[in-house]
Structure formats: C-alpha cells, structure tokens
Amino acid sequence: MTLHLAQTLAWKQSLAATTAAAAAELAMLDDLQGNILKGHGRPHTSNLLVTFDAGRAAQARRFLASVGHDVTTALDQLTGAEAHRLSGIDAGTFVTVLLSAAGYEALGRSDACPTNAAFKAGMAARDLNDPPVAEWDESFVGLHAMILVATSDAAWRDSASAAIMARIAATGGAVRLAGRLDGNAMFNADGRGIEHFGYVDGRSQPLPLKEDVDHEASHAGTRLWDPAIFLDQLLVPCPGGRLAVSHGSYFVIRKLEQDVRAFKAREIELAQALDAEAVEDPTHEPVGERAGASVVGRFENGTPVTLDRREAPLASRSDDAVRNDFDYRDDKAGLRCPFAAHIRKANPRSDVTGSKSHLMARRGIPYGQRKDDANDDAPADKAAGGVGLIFMAYQADIVNQFEFTQNKWVDNRQFARPLVIGGPETGIDPVIGQLPSPAPNPPAAGQLYPLEWDRRLSGTPFDFSGFVTMRGGEYLFAPSISFLKSLS
Ligand code: HEM
C-alpha cells in the first residue's frame, strides 16, 4: 500500500473509492489519532499530565495500551463530525494520547522514539527565551505523557476524565497524575470562539483536508490566501507503528497565562498615545478599537485590520464571514497592519516567500475561570492572572515550525523589517513575544503603530509586551494507535 503525503487528502472520495491508494489513505486515517488533520471541535477538555515509574514500565505500558483502545481515530472523528453536521448526533467523547521523549524512555521504548532533535531534547532544553524551569508549573517538569479528553458538555468531561484518573490510580503508582488542566471554549455574542483578551481565535488554519479547502474556497475565498497544505506538513511516519501506513505528529503544548487586566489597560494607553501624537492633525480619527486591532492584527470580531480601519459588521454568524482571504501585498509599509502585529509576525503571508511551510495546526483552548464578561473591554474587572491559553499545535517538524515561528519571527525585533535601509526595528510580537533574560542591549525599542490608517506611521515606538507569561510546556508526539495498542 503506497501512501502519498505530498498532497491534500480527500477523505470522502477515499471512502467512496475502491483503489489501492484510497485503501491506503483509509488505513492511515484508521491508525492515526484524531485532532491532527482537523480540530476535534469539542468545547470542554481535560489535559491529564502524567509520569511513568520507569521501574514498573511493563505496567505503565499496559495502562497505555488499554487507553489506546479508547483513543479516537482520525477516521472516526471525521465521520462523527459529518454525522453531527447532517443529523445533530453528538460525536461523543474524544480521547488522544501524547508522549514525550522522556516518556518513551521511561516506558522502555526508546527504540520507537521519534527522531526530531528538538523533540528529543525537550522544551526545557531549548532556547526559547522562556522563564527558567524553576518558575514553571511543576506538572510540566519531567512530563512523560498527556491524555486529552474532550466533550461537548462540561459534566461529561468531568466524568470522562474522572474515569481515566481512576484507571491511573489503579496502577498503584506505575502511572502518576502530575496535574490536570481543564480547557473551556469561550464565545462572543456572535457565537464565535474567542481567547481571553476578547479576540476571535482559531480562524486562520492551514488545511490538509481537500473537503475543508473546497469549503473555504467556495464560502470564504482563497484568491489571496490559499490555506491548503500537504499532509507531510503535519504527519511523519510513526517509528513504533505496526502498519506500513502508521503515522503520527509532533505536538507542542504551552501553558500561556494572560494578564487580561493589564492588556486591556495597555490597549487604552496605546490609543491615547497615538491620539496625543496626532493632536495637531485636524484630519486625525480617534484610534479607539484600532489600537488593539493593531496589536493582534484583527479587530475583536476577527476583521483583519489590513482590510478595514474599523471593525466591520459581519454578514452572517458563520465562521466563514470572518475574512481570511488576504495578504499584505497592499500593505508593504505596515501602514494598515503593523509588521509586529501578532498575526503578521506569526504568519507573514506575502511578506515572506514560502511562509506557509512554517505553519502549524493550532488547537489551543482557553483555561481558567472568569467572573467578568469577556466581551466588554473595561480593564478594572478583568482577571490579572489564573487564566490563559493552552496553546497546542501539531506539526511535522518542531524546529522548522514552532521554533522557527517563535525564534525567527515572533521574538525577532528585526522581523519583518520594512524595506527601508536603516529603517526602524519592528519590535517583538506584542501578544506572545519574549525577550532574552537579561534584557538585550540596546533595550527593546517597542513596536511602531500606524498613526493614521494607511497614511502615516507613528514616529515613536510604543512598548506593548509582557502580558503573556509562559508557565510550562513540553514537546510531545501523537503516536499511531497501533503503536499504543501494541504496548500491552
Ligand atoms: C496567549 C497566547 C496567544 C493569543 C492570545 C493568541 C491570539 C491569536 C488571535 C486572536 C489570532 C487571530 C485569529 C486567527 O487568525 O486564528 C491568532 C492567530 C494566530 N496565532 Fe496566536 N495567540 C497566542 C499564541 C500563539 C502562539 C504561541 C503562536 C505560535 C508560536 C501563535 C500563532 C498564531 C498563528 C500562526 C495565527 C494565524 C495567523 C494567520 O494565519 O493570519 N499564537 N492568535
């Protein structure tokens, strides 16, 4: 059976076909864990963080083999989502299992460990400008595996994760629960998923499934930005897989705490600073919401700031109404969307040839409880800690995708530099940028924001940073299901 990864996958066509290629694709999907090629879509999750006792590796392996039988295959996830779309049937509990390099070793299965250099070293050993490991949540230090449980209902999530925790406890210490981190999706008034700062999140994704690419082309447009990627940007062969078509994917998890109160206050300060700079200009329009939109690259409802100077009303409640068919060809000087804006840093689109090859499949979800309305912008009642984003992303190469994005783009004060010799630095990503510690010399200059949309840049850099703090993370791998089941 030959499987071609240098293409998008048309899974519905494969289901209807009788060719050898279609059979190989379906066999691969049946041995691949879900959530990689398409998000599982459930709003309530539990991330169970676990370690193994290397001295009782056989028992730990048997536990994983039993959980392997509960794991949702990519094929089941896709058919379940289709049944839900057609008839509203709940697709049930979603389960996935991820292992760290240290986890493979503790299980006594280093022979099956994937080979990516960053994965083998682990996140703590990598140069990411992260806080020292001593400041991380302990549950991420020395992590061996993560079991992610997701449901459509919070109570079902609690009972499904309690059942797995009981199975962990029954191993008598061969498997230990180091921590549990729950995620709960948040929605704005239009029913769209948002993150804690109040912005629509998860809209722009690289799409490896042909059905999703076709939907995007016909409903939202793909003339300027084509989100299609080949399977080989997310999948690699699974070293321990039992089938010729066994595949897996590298997975990055980062617990990113958000200081919402300070972020919202800084948005107002940025707007005030720009208005003050333009006070002499009778044509100046108050910056208002455009300050936050310049920081993120989109207004709160998802409207890209490179397309509109004001938040545009959306035509429908469907996600397709949030525009994603754009690039920066008409914004080469960063006069509409600053070069430093989060979405322009993390996906520079037309600014960089081949930028798409660095994209990951992002599967983040907010964590932490809030008492305030996430949709109002009043800083005073906002959470200053205890809430954030569980950033999670799948990819084929951690060095070329997550680390490249974070190191070469997000944290790089020179990127993307306007095409002006000796021009100003663009500054770090104001949402997730991190500077090395101790602070660099000369100190960070901040970012340059548009003073008048599409007309004039501010002459004074404004430092917008420090509102997201990394609290721990790890590089994991989503092995094939046949590998997990074979661990017994
Ligand atoms: C608390 C942390 C974060 C917040 C609040 C955040 C917020 C957002 C928001 C609001 C969007 C726009 C919606 C969309 O296009 O999907 C977005 C897009 C994006 N983010 Fe983040 N994000 C965070 C962390 C990260 C991290 C750690 C990375 C990678 C290193 C990342 C990479 C991206 C990418 C690639 C896009 C899509 C850009 C595009 O294609 O236009 N984000 N993020």
Side-chain angles (χ1 to χ4, degrees):
M1 280 201 283
T2 323
L3 183 71
H4 298 289
L5 293 188
Q7 59 174 6
T8 54
L9 179 67
W11 70 274
K12 286 187 191 167
Q13 276 177 33
S14 303
L15 274 181
T18 52
T19 60
E25 285 166 2
L26 293 178
M28 185 275 283
L29 288 177
D30 199 36
D31 195 34
L32 183 73
Q33 299 200 52
N35 203 29
I36 302 169
L37 301 179
K38 191 180 175 86
H40 61 70
R42 280 102 167 142
H44 302 284
T45 64
S46 260
N47 289 15
L48 303 178
L49 306 169
V50 303
T51 57
F52 308 126
D53 178 350
R56 298 167 65 191
Q59 207 180 335
R61 287 199 300 269
R62 273 198 300 281
F63 165 81
L64 273 188
S66 80
V67 177
H69 286 268
D70 300 333
V71 163
T72 312
T73 72
L75 191 58
D76 278 350
Q77 183 204 333
L78 293 171
T79 50
E82 190 65 3
H84 177 69
R85 191 179 68 81
L86 295 173
S87 56
I89 301 168
D90 192 288
T93 304
F94 174 88
V95 178
T96 189
V97 173
L98 305 124
L99 295 172
S100 69
Y104 276 94
E105 200 178 319
L107 290 169
R109 288 304 309 267
S110 297
D111 60 300
C113 187
T115 53
N116 186 271
F119 171 74
K120 293 198 94 161
M123 188 180 285
R126 305 295 287 178
D127 194 2
L128 293 164
N129 295 343
D130 283 337
V133 176
E135 292 172 21
W136 293 17
D137 285 6
E138 272 178 22
S139 50
F140 282 101
V141 182
L143 183 67
H144 287 159
M146 186 180 100
I147 303 169
L148 185 141
V149 178
T151 62
S152 59
D153 177 277
W156 298 345
R157 178 264 318 272
D158 291 342
S159 57
S161 52
I164 294 183
M165 288 190 292
R167 283 157 73 184
I168 292 174
T171 67
V175 181
R176 283 185 295 260
L177 184 69
R180 169 180 167 180
L181 183 59
D182 286 354
N184 291 296
M186 293 168 22
F187 300 95
N188 65 12
D190 296 330
R192 294 192 174 87
I194 56 173
E195 48 68 50
H196 279 289
F197 294 143
Y199 291 80
V200 165
D201 198 8
R203 171 65 181 95
S204 179
Q205 293 282 7
L207 303 177
L209 296 178
K210 189 170 178 303
E211 287 80 3
D212 293 344
V213 177
D214 291 348
H215 175 99
E216 187 75 14
S218 57
H219 289 73
T222 52
R223 199 173 57 85
L224 295 170
W225 176 251
D226 176 3
I229 56 162
F230 292 161
L231 293 170
D232 57 9
Q233 194 161 329
L234 300 182
L235 302 185
V236 294
C238 173
R242 303 302 288 263
L243 310 175
V245 292
S246 293
H247 281 78
S249 185
Y250 291 100
F251 179 90
V252 173
I253 179 164
R254 285 164 81 75
K255 182 180 179 188
L256 299 175
E257 187 174 66
Q258 295 175 254
D259 184 342
V260 185
R261 191 184 304 164
F263 184 95
K264 286 290 161 194
R266 197 68 176 150
E267 282 184 345
I268 294 169
E269 286 164 10
L270 173 56
Q272 286 169 343
L274 294 173
D275 286 343
E277 188 179 338
V279 72
E280 305 283 322
D281 180 354
T283 66
H284 176 70
E285 285 188 39
V287 173
E289 297 275 291
R290 188 162 58 75
S294 299
V295 163
V296 174
R298 291 183 184 265
F299 286 90
E300 291 188 3
N301 78 349
T303 302
V305 71
T306 197
L307 295 183
D308 281 289
R309 52 140 80 71
R310 295 194 195 91
E311 186 158 90
L314 299 179
S316 82
R317 289 174 70 91
S318 127
D319 262 358
D320 303 328
V322 179
R323 295 172 70 181
N324 200 37
D325 187 20
F326 67 91
D327 62 19
Y328 300 106
R329 261 173 283 186
D330 291 337
D331 189 14
K332 288 207 170 82
L335 289 175
R336 299 173 174 187
C337 178
F339 290 102
H342 174 56
I343 67 162
R344 193 163 183 171
K345 277 275 192 190
N347 180 9
R349 301 189 182 212
S350 53
D351 288 341
V352 174
T353 313
S355 62
K356 200 160 70 169
S357 66
H358 302 290
L359 292 182
M360 306 156 263
R362 291 178 297 126
R363 303 286 184 249
I365 189 163
Y367 73 85
Q369 300 297 326
R370 295 174 59 157
K371 295 189 179 67
D372 64 298
D373 176 0
N375 291 302
D376 82 47
D377 278 343
D381 63 354
K382 296 279 172 282
V387 304
L389 182 78
I390 312 172
F391 175 82
M392 294 178 275
Y394 292 95
Q395 59 227 275
D397 182 349
I398 294 172
V399 176
N400 187 48
Q401 290 168 268
F402 169 69
E403 290 193 347
F404 188 96
T405 306
Q406 186 79 40
N407 285 333
K408 299 281 194 293
W409 288 345
V410 164
D411 292 347
N412 181 355
R413 292 186 288 164
Q414 311 268 342
F415 177 79
R417 203 159 183 149
L419 300 174
V420 185
I421 307 277
E425 290 190 342
T426 52
I428 58 168
D429 180 325
V431 178
I432 54 163
Q434 303 186 135
L435 289 168
S437 173
N441 194 13
Q447 305 90 10
L448 277 180
Y449 293 94
L451 196 59
E452 314 292 346
W453 189 83
D454 207 20
R455 266 206 298 134
R456 189 153 67 104
L457 216 52
S458 158
T460 316
F462 185 94
D463 178 17
F464 200 118
S465 63
F467 306 111
V468 169
T469 308
M470 193 272 198
R471 295 286 179 208
E474 188 49 290
Y475 294 151
L476 303 170
F477 187 74
S480 63
I481 296 168
S482 62
F483 170 70
L484 289 172
K485 288 180 179 170
S486 75
L487 286 171
S488 60

